[in-house]
Amino acid sequence: CRFSQMLHPIFEEASNVIKEEYPDKNQVVFARVDCDQHSDIAQRYRISKYPTLKLFRNGMMMKREYRGQRSVTAIADYIRQQKSNPIREVQDLEEINSLDRSRRNIVGYFEQKDSDNYRTFERVANILHDDCVFLSAFGAVSKAERFSGDNVIYKPPGENAPDMVYLGSLTNFDLIYAWTQDKCVPLVREITFENGEELTEEGLPFLILFHMKDDLESLEKFQQEVARQLISEKGTINFLHADCDKFRHPLLHIQKTPADCPVIAIDSFRHMYVFPDFSDLSVPGKLKQFVLDLHSGKLHREFHHGPDPTDVAPGQPMQDVASSPPESSFQKLAPSEHRYTLLREKDEL
C-alpha cells in the first residue's frame, strides 16, 4: 500500500520522539501490523482501510482512531495529549457548584491519591475522558462527601438533574467501568459528519431518528421509547438521531425530505428500512418489533419479496414492492467525508 509506505517513516520517527520523552517501555508502545500476514488481527479490529492508526489503553481499543495529520509533529502531539491527566483536581467543593451542567460529569471523592480506589478511577477516566468530564477531590477538601468512605458521583446534564451514586466496589475495574460507560455514553447518540465513520466502525446497524434540529419533542419521545422498548437490544444496534437538514442525502435514499420529518429508519449497512409511521412510536412493542424484524431477516425479505403471507389479512392483495430496497447511505456518506480529508493530507505529504 503506497500510503502505508509513505506513513511508515513518519510513524517510526514519531515513535523515536516519544521514546525520548517517555523512555519507560510501559508508558507508550508504538506497534505496526502487516494485515496481509495477520489478517486475523485485521478482522478482529475491523480494519478495512490502510493505513489505520488505532489507540489502545489498558488492552482496550478506543472507539476513536487517530484521524489527524500524518506528520511527526501531529502524531507526537496526539500522544502527549493522550498522556495528559484526564482528571481535574478540585481544590474547593465550591468548584463543583459551578460545573458546566451541559456536560456529563463524574466526580470522585477520595481520602488519598495514592490508593487502589483512585488508581481504578484513573484507569476508567483514561478510557472515557472523551465522553465525560472527570474531576477528583482529596483529603480535607473531599471529607464532607466521604461520610461512608470514598465516593464516586455522576452529575448528568441539566441544572436540576439529580446526582447518581456508584454503589459498587471502587477497586473492581469491570464494575465501575461498566457503570461509568453507561452514564457517559448516552443511549441515543447524535450522528454527525464528524463521527459518522467512527459510529460505522462499531459494526452495529443504526436505528435513526431523523428530526429537525429544533424538534426536541420528537427526540424526547424517541429517547423514551428506546429506553422503554429497546434497552435489551443495546449492543445489537446503535440508537442515533440526525439533523434532517444536514442529512438530506440519506433521506433521499428512503424517498423522504426534511418536510417528512420526523422519520425513523434502520440502516443495516446493506439497505435502509423505514418505520411505517412515526405516530406509531408509542404503540407498545411496535418499535421493538421493527428492530426484531431486522435481526430475523424479515425486513430484508419483505423489501425483496413483499409482505410475509402471514402478515396479509385474508382477501387483502399483497402490495407491489420495489425489486430492491434503498441502499445504505450512512456507510457511504461518512467515509466519503473522511476520504476527502485523507486525500488532502496525503497531497500535503
Side-chain angles (χ1 to χ4, degrees):
C1 169
R2 183 166 66 91
F3 294 121
S4 297
Q5 291 172 349
M6 291 167 64
L7 179 61
H8 180 213
I10 296 169
F11 187 70
E12 190 165 13
E13 179 58 27
S15 74
N16 291 331
V17 170
I18 291 299
K19 185 178 180 180
E20 290 182 9
E21 297 179 29
Y22 302 97
D24 184 347
K25 291 182 179 178
N26 293 323
Q27 292 256 320
V28 182
V29 175
F30 277 70
R32 58 191 174 94
V33 179
D34 182 334
C35 291
D36 285 331
Q37 291 186 5
H38 302 283
S39 58
D40 56 326
I41 295 177
Q43 272 189 334
R44 187 187 315 163
Y45 297 112
R46 297 191 292 273
I47 308 300
S48 59
K49 59 186 186 304
Y50 304 96
T52 291
L53 299 181
K54 294 278 190 182
L55 177 71
F56 289 77
R57 285 187 178 276
N58 299 300
M60 296 179 66
M61 184 181 75
M62 300 296 94
K63 291 185 301 181
R64 296 176 183 174
E65 65 187 49
Y66 176 76
R67 292 194 175 95
Q69 283 192 331
R70 268 50 173 168
S71 71
V72 173
T73 301
I75 294 173
D77 284 345
Y78 172 74
I79 296 299
R80 293 185 192 103
Q81 179 188 359
Q82 294 298 319
K83 289 297 294 177
S84 63
N85 192 342
I87 305 171
R88 176 163 70 88
E89 185 173 344
V90 172
Q91 303 299 332
D92 188 319
L93 290 186
E94 281 300 312
E95 293 180 46
I96 304 297
N97 297 328
S98 60
L99 288 177
D100 180 356
R101 293 308 296 264
S102 68
R103 303 288 306 275
R104 291 175 161 77
N105 297 281
I106 303 284
V107 187
Y109 301 99
F110 302 94
E111 183 176 0
Q112 54 187 2
K113 186 177 287 189
D114 185 18
S115 66
D116 289 340
N117 285 352
Y118 180 70
R119 279 188 282 272
T120 305
F121 183 73
E122 197 171 32
R123 285 181 65 194
V124 172
N126 270 315
I127 295 170
L128 294 172
H129 66 87
D130 287 333
D131 301 295
C132 264
V133 175
F134 286 83
L135 306 100
S136 62
F138 302 95
V141 175
S142 67
K143 188 173 181 180
E145 295 290 339
R146 289 189 291 103
F147 43 87
S148 59
D150 289 353
N151 201 13
V152 172
I153 302 287
Y154 168 59
K155 292 182 173 294
E159 291 297 331
N160 301 314
D163 294 348
M164 301 181 191
V165 182
Y166 172 68
L167 300 175
S169 166
L170 285 170
T171 56
N172 187 317
F173 171 79
D174 291 336
L175 277 181
I176 191 169
Y177 174 75
W179 181 85
T180 309
Q181 185 186 44
D182 182 63
K183 303 297 178 283
C184 291
V185 182
L187 187 59
V188 178
R189 293 177 283 175
E190 182 177 11
I191 185 168
T192 65
F193 288 120
E194 289 73 30
N195 70 0
E197 186 171 14
E198 176 186 312
L199 290 169
T200 301
E201 286 168 354
E202 292 182 15
L204 299 177
F206 297 164
L207 176 68
I208 313 165
L209 167 70
F210 294 94
H211 68 108
M212 302 304 291
K213 188 175 183 179
D214 58 355
D215 180 12
L216 301 181
E217 183 181 348
S218 296
L219 175 58
E220 186 176 350
K221 285 181 182 177
F222 182 69
Q223 290 171 326
Q224 289 174 350
E225 291 306 321
V226 166
R228 183 179 294 125
Q229 298 186 41
L230 293 170
I231 193 68
S232 62
E233 295 301 317
K234 186 180 179 182
T236 69
I237 189 167
N238 272 331
F239 310 117
L240 308 171
H241 67 101
D243 184 331
C244 282
D245 273 330
K246 289 183 179 177
F247 286 99
R248 290 169 178 261
H249 184 70
L251 284 173
L252 287 175
H253 274 242
I254 52 176
Q255 299 179 340
K256 302 287 185 183
T257 70
D260 297 309
C261 290
V263 172
I264 297 173
I266 285 175
D267 189 339
S268 70
F269 300 155
R270 294 177 65 191
H271 302 302
M272 293 185 74
Y273 310 99
V274 185
F275 186 69
D277 193 331
F278 182 81
S279 62
D280 288 341
L281 179 63
S282 57
V283 175
K286 192 93 172 182
L287 188 64
K288 182 169 185 176
Q289 191 58 54
F290 184 53
V291 172
L292 294 179
D293 286 348
L294 169 74
H295 295 326
S296 70
K298 182 179 177 182
L299 292 182
H300 186 79
R301 289 196 309 273
E302 289 194 338
F303 264 109
H304 284 286
H305 308 295
D308 284 352
T310 55
D311 292 341
V312 179
Q316 179 183 342
M318 293 183 66
Q319 297 175 348
D320 290 333
V321 180
S323 59
S324 63
E327 292 184 352
S328 168
S329 180
F330 276 92
Q331 192 180 34
K332 296 177 180 178
L333 186 62
S336 68
E337 295 285 320
H338 180 51
R339 276 198 297 273
Y340 171 77
T341 305
L342 288 184
L343 287 172
R344 185 175 57 201
E345 290 170 1
K346 286 163 186 169
D347 288 341
E348 291 172 358
L349 292 174

